[in-house]
Amino acid sequence: MKVFLDNPNLLINEFNEMAAISQKKAYITVGIEIQKQEIKVLANYREKLNDLKKEFVKRKLENEANLVYCIDKSLLSLQYELEMLVNIKEDRMNEAWENLVNAQVTYGNVMRNNPCEFQAPNGYMERLANYEKLLFPNLYFQSAGGIIKKSHCSICGENFNKCDHIKGRLYMGELCYRIITEMDLEEVSFVENPANKHCRILAIESNGKTIDILTLREKSTTAHKTQLQS
Ligand SMILES: [Zn+2]
């Protein structure tokens, strides 16, 4: 790994090279053992990136730490994409869906926080959206509405409304998010474009059978958490 205090382009170039190699392997036709190997390569490299980030944090170099966050999470998105393909090949469709949503959420955070030296590739969100359209059926989602009673900031731990950190922004290489610890649930509704695509209907009832939405296979009634009567 190259250290880039003087020149961030060294790390960005290294990222571009790695991303290009990974993307060549992110096709459904590529050998599964090659994809599994690439997942390991990405995970190992990301471990080194995290050591580098710790080093920058120690030296209070915020721009550098944020850049490493963006590079790390871009590679994590690629890793999720490869994991999705492997899970599809190995017939684990629920996991494949989780991988895709994780890739979208992770890359979305990068897109919102691009440091000026690093331009995350634009077309990647589109690529992920295409997977969603082509590989998965239409899914139904749930959204929980309610009143947040207690929440705090992930960066400083203060009451969420009391500090100056902004949700979705990067601070010293970490994403700020709201941690909700207490909420009065008011309603759960069905939505088409949910904030959280992990929260979805897993199975439907049809002719007395419980059918998995992704595989259309009959499920045992205890295996799933959410059902929609139809
Ligand atoms: Zn804060």
Side-chain angles (χ1 to χ4, degrees):
M1 169 139 342
K2 299 152 188 164
V3 176
F4 66 100
L5 265 184
D6 301 324
N7 185 359
N9 287 326
L10 288 178
L11 193 73
I12 292 170
N13 289 343
E14 199 168 272
F15 161 76
N16 285 331
E17 281 166 28
M18 285 210 70
I21 292 168
S22 284
Q23 288 204 286
K24 276 191 193 139
K25 296 175 184 173
Y27 292 98
I28 199 106
T29 57
V30 172
I32 191 166
E33 72 286 2
I34 293 166
Q35 292 176 326
K36 284 181 174 175
Q37 180 57 32
E38 185 62 20
I39 290 169
K40 279 190 201 153
V41 169
L42 286 171
N44 287 339
Y45 184 77
R46 290 184 41 246
E47 234 169 80
K48 286 189 221 157
L49 277 180
N50 275 301
D51 291 341
L52 183 65
K53 191 170 85 177
K54 277 183 206 147
E55 194 59 36
F56 288 141
V57 171
K58 217 189 281 171
R59 292 155 77 176
K60 300 211 170 10
L61 297 167
E62 183 161 35
N63 290 338
E64 282 82 355
N66 289 349
L67 175 64
V68 173
Y69 174 96
C70 287
I71 289 179
D72 174 40
K73 298 305 177 192
S74 296
L75 292 174
L76 178 59
S77 306
L78 289 171
Q79 193 181 321
Y80 282 134
E81 181 186 359
L82 287 163
E83 284 170 1
M84 177 193 74
L85 295 172
V86 166
N87 276 322
I88 286 173
K89 290 176 183 182
E90 293 188 340
D91 202 5
R92 286 187 296 267
M93 302 308 166
N94 287 311
E95 286 83 350
W97 174 258
E98 299 297 312
N99 294 146
L100 178 61
V101 175
N102 284 338
Q104 289 175 337
V105 171
T106 304
Y107 201 70
N109 288 331
V110 175
M111 294 290 283
R112 274 191 296 278
N113 281 291
N114 266 347
C116 50
E117 318 88 81
F118 177 69
Q119 279 303 317
N122 256 323
Y124 192 62
M125 277 313 253
E126 214 175 297
R127 178 180 173 89
L128 296 176
N130 286 337
Y131 276 128
E132 186 176 335
K133 264 186 249 155
L134 287 173
L135 295 182
F136 295 91
N138 270 336
L139 297 173
Y140 304 94
F141 302 96
Q142 284 182 317
S143 172
I147 296 161
I148 294 166
K149 288 284 212 43
K150 246 188 212 168
S151 66
H152 58 269
C153 166
S154 66
I155 300 293
C156 66
E158 264 291 328
N159 183 313
F160 189 74
N161 297 315
K162 288 207 172 126
C163 72
D164 291 333
H165 295 117
I166 297 162
K167 187 175 133 187
R169 290 252 185 102
L170 291 181
Y171 297 93
M172 206 54 98
E174 298 296 332
L175 187 74
C176 174
Y177 52 94
R178 184 178 197 173
I179 300 168
I180 297 169
T181 47
E182 225 184 289
M183 179 170 152
D184 278 348
L185 192 64
E186 295 212 306
E187 45 146 26
V188 174
S189 47
F190 295 104
V191 289
E192 236 173 285
N193 292 305
N196 178 355
K197 286 194 220 166
H198 287 299
C199 193
R200 64 180 181 88
I201 312 296
L202 301 177
I204 51 164
E205 291 283 323
S206 174
N207 297 327
K209 288 177 182 168
T210 305
I211 307 292
D212 182 288
I213 283 192
L214 291 178
T215 63
L216 300 184
R217 293 188 183 120
E218 195 176 344
K219 296 179 79 162
S220 70
T221 44
T222 49
H224 56 89
K225 289 173 198 141
T226 319
Q227 290 176 35
L228 173 63
Q229 301 285 333
S230 71

